[in-house]
Amino acid sequence: AGRLPLMAGNWKMNLNHLEAIAHTQKLAFALADKDYDAVEVAVLPPFTDLRSVQTLVDGDKLKIKYGAQDISAQDSGAYTGEISGSMLAKLKCTYVAVGHSERRQYHAETDELCNAKVKAAFRHGLTPILCVGEGLDVRKAGDQVSYTLAQLDGGLKDVPAEQAETIVIAYEPVWAIGTGEVATPEDAQEVCGAIRGRLAELYSQELADKVRIQYGGSVKSGNVAAIMAQPDVDGALVGGAALDAEEFVKIVRFRD
Ligand code: 2PG
């Protein structure tokens, strides 16, 4: 429905600031010969690499966007080790991931905290990529849709429509993350379609039709096209395969 696909590379805790420069140069070079108006490309480096990436892509014609992997729910103050939305905005980040399953798992992030982070991102003009998705037990019980929609409801609580219409949702089934086990295109579509349906219930069909919903979990150049062919999948959040610049470029060029 005219949604611009968003292919985003989540570097997780990989690549130091010098490696980030080399990697981003490779991406810029490989994408330079193409007009990428039809696909939006973004990278989510560690905080310590953001300045390096900004220096390379600031004001370029390549339209490689970037953002952070997390954000503090607070705006400033005595929160040792946290990074605020205003700091990310100052570095001209476009996106910020919120509630990635690794944050939920290793840092005990709740839906309530994710909701506060979504609001913090919007306060600072950043676009949240809200990550949702079920673990293996939930999938085995067949409860993936209700589980994921509950995370969606929690993350969007009291978020007004004018903000919600710009959010990106990433459906990432935890059992498919970094495991090499990819969801089938039908699995991805089932939940992504349900997410769009819930957005229509929470807001409106017009709004739901605007929101981009990514799939994430062991996306590679070999499986991306089939996943992207699903009607409610509008992009991919790519982890492991995004660390190889050549492979990530192939994923971005899934239509070629
Ligand atoms: C993740 C996914 C996608 P991977 O954890 O977000 O980002 O990682 O592609 O390695 O499964």
Side-chain angles (χ1 to χ4, degrees), residues 15 34 42 52 78 80 88 96 127-128 143 165 218 229 235 238:
L15 307 184
K34 265 245 166 185
S52 298
T80 302
L88 300 178
V96 61
T127 298
D143 293 334
E165 73 176 9
S218 300
V238 186

Side-chain angles (χ1 to χ4, degrees), residues 51-122:
R51 186 66 161 172
S52 298
V53 172
Q54 178 192 15
T55 306
L56 288 169
V57 305
D58 202 9
D60 75 355
K61 301 188 297 284
L62 301 164
K63 302 191 200 96
I64 296 178
K65 303 218 173 111
Y66 56 91
Q69 299 170 15
D70 186 29
I71 180 175
S72 175
Q74 310 297 331
D75 289 340
S76 66
Y79 300 99
T80 302
E82 293 283 276
I83 304 288
S84 72
S86 62
M87 294 169 182
L88 300 178
K90 185 78 178 165
L91 288 168
K92 297 200 167 71
C93 287
T94 300
Y95 293 106
V96 61
V98 172
H100 188 280
S101 66
E102 289 149 17
R103 302 289 318 170
R104 293 177 189 263
Q105 188 180 347
Y106 305 131
H107 301 273
E109 293 200 3
T110 60
D111 287 331
E112 203 177 18
L113 180 62
C114 294
N115 180 240
K117 291 185 173 193
V118 163
K119 290 171 180 165
F122 281 126

Side-chain angles (χ1 to χ4, degrees), residues 137-185:
D137 291 355
V138 174
R139 163 72 47 173
K140 279 186 175 154
D143 293 334
Q144 61 272 15
V145 169
S146 59
Y147 182 93
T148 302
L149 295 186
Q151 288 183 328
L152 182 72
D153 291 351
L156 288 174
K157 189 164 184 291
D158 301 325
V159 174
E162 57 276 19
Q163 292 181 341
E165 73 176 9
T166 66
I167 203 168
V168 177
I169 306 295
Y171 169 56
E172 302 205 303
V174 179
W175 48 271
I177 293 180
T179 57
E181 184 131 358
V182 66
T184 65

Side-chain angles (χ1 to χ4, degrees), residues 160-237:
E162 57 276 19
Q163 292 181 341
E165 73 176 9
T166 66
I167 203 168
V168 177
I169 306 295
Y171 169 56
E172 302 205 303
V174 179
W175 48 271
I177 293 180
T179 57
E181 184 131 358
V182 66
T184 65
E186 294 72 26
D187 289 339
Q189 171 57 29
E190 181 198 29
V191 184
C192 291
I195 288 170
R196 198 175 309 286
R198 176 72 101 200
L199 289 169
E201 280 167 27
L202 292 173
Y203 298 97
S204 67
Q205 189 64 51
E206 295 93 285
L207 183 145
D209 286 339
K210 282 187 198 159
V211 172
R212 291 179 296 177
I213 303 173
Q214 298 178 304
Y215 168 79
S218 300
V219 171
K220 301 184 205 53
S221 58
N223 58 30
V224 64
I227 291 166
M228 289 301 295
Q230 300 301 310
D232 287 304
V233 178
D234 308 313
L237 186 53

